[in-house]
Amino acid sequence: MDNADVWLVVPLYNEAAVIGDVVRRSRATFPNVVCIDDGSKDGSAEVAEAAGAVVVRHPVNLGQGAALQTGFDYVLSDPRMRYVVTFDADGQHQVHDVEVMLGRIRAGDVQVVFGSRFLDGRTDASLLKRLVLRAAVTYTNATTGTRLTDAHNGLRVLHRDVASRLQITQNRMAHASEIVAQIGAMRIGGHRVAYAEEPVHILYTDYSRAKGQSLWNTVNILAELIWR
């Protein structure tokens, strides 16, 4: 399968050290990769372009939610596109997990596949991080009508019909909950959007932790949920 109907949308902010490898590994399986450079100051956009990605630029930093919305708007201009994958720029997502998630959505009985780091034992997260994320997903489930195990995982696969209906307004961490809430409330042809979860491996490295995967960042997710 050439995956010509798939686009990876990668929010990009000051990831010059790793984005070249992320793009090259991704494009070996998924040729369509768009990076939304969100005002980087370290040459990330040029590195991504050299690795083969399409790059759309924000002149100033607007936040990850805004970058995703820009990416959705871009890939929706491709009439061949049927599936959008949201994929992180820091190397913590695995291309093989995307292949499995696409196999799930191509079966045709769901329109969204969420990645979950809590459905198998591959992800090495601290106990405190797990507890905070569990609290966040409990809150999200209670307020959105969804039933997920990991609402703040950035790896998702969306059918075109779903991506075209999303309008992200939360630019910081709360955008993840907003996406879940909009999907939970969405109706297509009078029917609720069908979704599933697949286990994924989030690879926490010293680099990704230094870039914002600290426990404090996780606590911020919970705070933004409550006071957004």
Side-chain angles (χ1 to χ4, degrees):
M1 184 171 293
D2 62 7
N3 288 314
D5 59 349
V6 180
W7 273 92
L8 267 60
V9 171
V10 184
L12 178 61
Y13 180 65
N14 290 344
E15 303 281 8
V18 297
I19 189 60
D21 287 342
V22 169
V23 170
R24 280 187 289 272
R25 284 201 305 270
S26 301
R27 293 194 70 244
T29 305
F30 301 104
N32 299 322
V33 177
V34 58
C35 294
I36 296 77
D37 183 63
D38 197 26
S40 295
K41 301 183 184 305
D42 66 347
S44 291
E46 290 75 13
V47 175
E49 280 182 326
V54 175
V55 175
V56 178
R57 290 172 170 82
H58 286 172
V60 296
N61 182 248
L62 298 176
Q64 193 174 70
L68 285 174
Q69 187 62 56
T70 297
F72 292 164
D73 293 343
Y74 178 83
V75 300
L76 285 166
S77 68
D78 179 356
R80 300 172 304 167
M81 186 277 290
R82 288 183 57 79
Y83 305 108
V84 183
V85 180
T86 61
F87 198 85
D88 283 358
D90 60 4
Q92 66 178 2
H93 290 161
Q94 314 304 312
V95 173
H96 174 69
D97 287 336
V98 179
E99 292 180 277
V100 174
M101 294 167 76
L102 274 164
R104 181 72 177 85
I105 201 169
R106 287 189 193 280
D109 60 330
V110 298
Q111 295 149 301
V112 178
V113 180
F114 294 100
S116 173
R117 75 199 92 180
F118 300 124
L119 291 178
D120 64 17
R122 288 180 292 166
T123 299
D124 181 21
S126 69
L127 176 60
L128 280 174
K129 189 180 186 74
R130 287 176 181 270
L131 289 174
V132 173
L133 287 172
R134 294 285 190 191
V137 78
T138 298
Y139 182 88
T140 299
N141 286 343
T143 56
T144 65
T146 57
R147 289 294 177 267
L148 298 174
T149 62
D150 188 5
H152 293 84
N153 194 312
L155 186 52
R156 318 170 185 87
V157 180
L158 313 171
H159 190 279
R160 180 187 187 97
D161 291 343
V162 173
S164 67
R165 288 168 169 79
L166 288 174
Q167 289 296 323
I168 303 170
T169 61
Q170 298 285 339
N171 290 338
R172 294 178 61 82
M173 291 301 178
H175 76 271
S177 297
E178 184 182 29
I179 289 173
V180 173
Q182 289 190 21
I183 289 172
M186 193 179 292
R187 300 292 184 275
I188 298 178
H191 301 286
R192 296 173 66 96
V193 172
Y195 62 85
E197 286 184 297
E198 286 288 338
V200 300
H201 179 200
I202 303 300
L203 181 62
Y204 296 118
T205 63
D206 291 342
Y207 175 82
S208 68
R209 288 187 174 93
K211 289 291 295 185
Q213 293 299 323
S214 65
L215 178 62
W216 179 244
N217 196 50
T218 308
V219 172
N220 283 338
I221 291 175
L222 190 58
E224 287 189 24
L225 274 176
I226 298 170
W227 290 293
R228 64 185 174 182

